Amino acid sequence: MSFELTILGSGSSAGTPVVGCRCSTCLSANSKNNRTRCSSLITLGNGKNILIDCSPDLRQQSLRESIKSIDSVLFTHTHADHCHGIDDLRAFCQINKQQIPIYGNKDTIEQLKVKFGYAMSEPNGFWEKPVLNPQIIDGPSQLFGATIIPVPILHGRLLINGYRIGNLAYLTDVSEIPIKSLELLRGLDVLLLDCLRHEPHYTHFGFDQCLEMAKKINAKETYLIHMTHDFEYEALKNKLPKSLYAGYDGLKLSLN
Ligand SMILES: [Zn+2]
Ligand SMILES: [Zn+2]
Ligand SMILES: [Zn+2]
């Protein structure tokens, strides 16, 4: 099935600009240096919207992109920058009068149930809070006619999920990719890949690790995401090799 991916947020946990920072990236007038917290939206050819993570900027991102429905959410993990926007899902429950199925690996689903227990309930006619149906995804699954493949990746010592949809893969917050998971990443047209900052980091790819992994996976196009204010958009763009691109908020990619 054809689909479109929209980068809702290309930033790291602090976002760019960083509160209180006076660096040139944070003061830049280029809107591509304005990075909300990391999340993307998949819009399937049949109109269904699958959200990847609920960043704390979900409300702002939804308004910016005129999103009118969210039919499902794929969670990568439960760090605050990836799930603390969960309360904003209630807007979509209200519009569609529907419970939203949410997916993640076993740890993620267990933690979401503890962190946001108030939002996990059966529909009861009231839509003042999110009404979510948490489900574990541990292998290829069908969602609205599309095949979703969870790709286990390491985020420091945490085993979290990346996701493959058709010939696109989304890998945020990653510091190591197990060999078995690399096998799930063959023949990609598009890869979205964590590139936190210039320097290496214990739980993320830094610039050199990101480039090395992009080369190894060899997707036709690789887009960098989850970036800090270390990266000024134009400067980064100019130093990236062929087939690598700096992601930015609002970027749309079409896939067949
Ligand atoms: Zn993160
Ligand atoms: Zn800064
Ligand atoms: Zn994280």
Side-chain angles (χ1 to χ4, degrees):
M1 191 192 300
S2 65
F3 65 93
E4 186 176 72
L5 177 137
T6 306
I7 296 184
L8 297 181
S10 55
S12 64
S13 57
T16 304
V18 175
V19 173
C21 184
R22 306 283 299 166
C23 81
S24 58
T25 309
C26 289
L27 293 176
S28 164
N30 183 346
S31 63
K32 288 176 180 160
N33 284 317
N34 202 322
R35 303 185 180 109
T36 57
R37 268 64 72 84
C38 199
S39 171
S40 278
L41 181 74
I42 303 276
T43 302
L44 298 178
N46 58 18
K48 294 289 185 186
N49 275 336
I50 303 171
L51 181 66
I52 306 179
D53 288 332
C54 288
S55 97
D57 298 317
L58 177 59
R59 176 178 171 276
Q60 190 191 334
Q61 294 164 342
S62 300
L63 292 169
R64 191 190 72 213
E65 300 296 334
S66 302
I67 302 170
K68 292 181 184 67
S69 71
I70 298 289
D71 300 290
S72 179
V73 186
L74 304 173
F75 279 97
T76 59
H77 65 306
T78 60
H79 283 161
D81 51 327
H82 298 263
C83 71
H84 278 202
I86 209 165
D87 195 65
D88 290 332
L89 289 175
R90 70 182 162 152
F92 303 105
C93 295
Q94 278 168 359
I95 294 168
N96 299 314
K97 303 280 182 280
Q98 257 172 24
Q99 189 187 42
I100 299 176
I102 64 171
Y103 298 88
N105 70 18
K106 188 167 176 285
D107 285 350
T108 292
I109 291 301
E110 279 174 5
Q111 288 163 25
L112 288 175
K113 282 181 180 172
V114 173
K115 273 187 166 191
F116 303 106
Y118 79 97
M120 313 292 165
S121 66
E122 292 299 321
N124 60 8
F126 294 97
W127 305 98
E128 303 306 314
K129 46 183 195 174
V131 180
L132 310 177
N133 177 16
Q135 296 176 46
I136 293 167
I137 184 167
D138 54 10
S141 304
Q142 290 294 313
L143 214 53
F144 312 119
T147 305
I148 311 291
I149 302 172
V151 181
I153 49 178
L154 280 160
H155 179 22
R157 276 190 282 181
L158 281 182
L159 191 63
I160 72 165
N161 272 357
Y163 292 99
R164 178 172 183 155
I165 302 120
N167 282 343
L168 173 144
Y170 185 91
L171 307 179
T172 189
D173 294 53
V174 55
S175 51
E176 194 183 328
I177 304 179
I179 290 170
K180 270 193 166 177
S181 294
L182 279 173
E183 289 167 10
L184 300 173
L185 299 170
R186 290 202 184 123
L188 290 177
D189 289 328
V190 172
L191 170 65
L192 291 102
L193 190 59
D194 183 9
C195 185
L196 186 73
R197 61 182 193 184
H198 292 303
E199 296 296 313
H201 187 279
Y202 171 57
T203 64
H204 293 267
F205 288 147
F207 186 74
D208 291 344
Q209 296 79 41
C210 173
L211 260 61
E212 198 179 306
M213 190 50 72
K215 200 173 167 190
K216 195 165 177 180
I217 295 173
N218 198 26
K220 285 184 189 151
E221 297 177 352
T222 299
Y223 294 84
L224 277 44
I225 54 170
H226 208 285
M227 294 172 285
T228 71
H229 60 160
D230 249 23
F231 298 120
E232 196 288 314
Y233 178 80
E234 295 296 332
L236 175 61
K237 186 180 143 193
N238 292 334
K239 74 182 230 178
L240 287 173
K242 210 168 151 250
S243 83
L244 267 79
Y245 306 90
Y248 56 87
D249 288 27
L251 176 66
K252 287 181 192 289
L253 303 165
S254 290
L255 281 104
N256 285 312

